[in-house]
Amino acid sequence: MAGTGSTAYEGFTAEERAAMRDHARELKKAARRGSRADKAAQAEQDVLAKIAEMGESDRIMAERVHAVVTASAPVLAPRLWYGMPAYALDGKVVCFFQSAEKFKARYATLGFSDQAKLDDGPMWAAGFALTEVTPEVEAWIADLVKRAVH
């Protein structure tokens, strides 16, 4: 970019490369599974296992997000997406939880893909920083997730 003082492209970060490797493993693993029910059950177990691996702060928030999303929008299927807990409709990710630890960020993120029906005029939020999941935040997440799939 002109005028920025830095012209060398250094490529993907180690965290981004790890996420891409996670995604490749997820695709291979899903392809080897049997029936649709087996795939769905194993995908949810994979999400719960990934959440269990997180550091305490991220794990607590991810557990609450998982509970709220699955209760508020049972049509969404839990699955891993680039090594992150995600929730899909007809195989397409609608929302996901990105731990702060994964990308060495100062906060976790609840993100929504372009599949989420959250359109609100010419501009709307597609990601939300999370530092704590309170009852008020749970209600907000539930509302967003319901709107995202309707």
Side-chain angles (χ1 to χ4, degrees), residues 3-62:
T4 62
S6 175
T7 59
Y9 172 70
E10 297 191 24
F12 294 107
T13 66
E15 293 82 9
E16 290 167 331
R17 287 191 303 275
M20 287 185 281
R21 284 191 301 274
D22 285 344
H23 188 58
R25 277 193 296 273
E26 293 156 12
L27 293 173
K28 287 178 186 176
K29 191 173 183 181
R32 290 190 300 261
R33 293 185 181 137
S35 71
R36 182 174 292 198
D38 289 344
K39 288 180 181 185
Q42 188 57 53
E44 181 156 19
Q45 288 305 309
D46 292 345
V47 166
L48 295 173
K50 184 58 77 172
I51 291 171
E53 293 172 4
M54 294 178 185
E56 183 178 8
S57 176
D58 284 339
R59 186 184 74 251
I60 290 167
M61 287 190 289

Side-chain angles (χ1 to χ4, degrees), residues 11 22 34 39 64 82 88 105 107 126 137 145:
D22 285 344
K39 288 180 181 185
R64 294 306 315 139
Y82 292 96
Y107 51 79
V137 171
V145 171

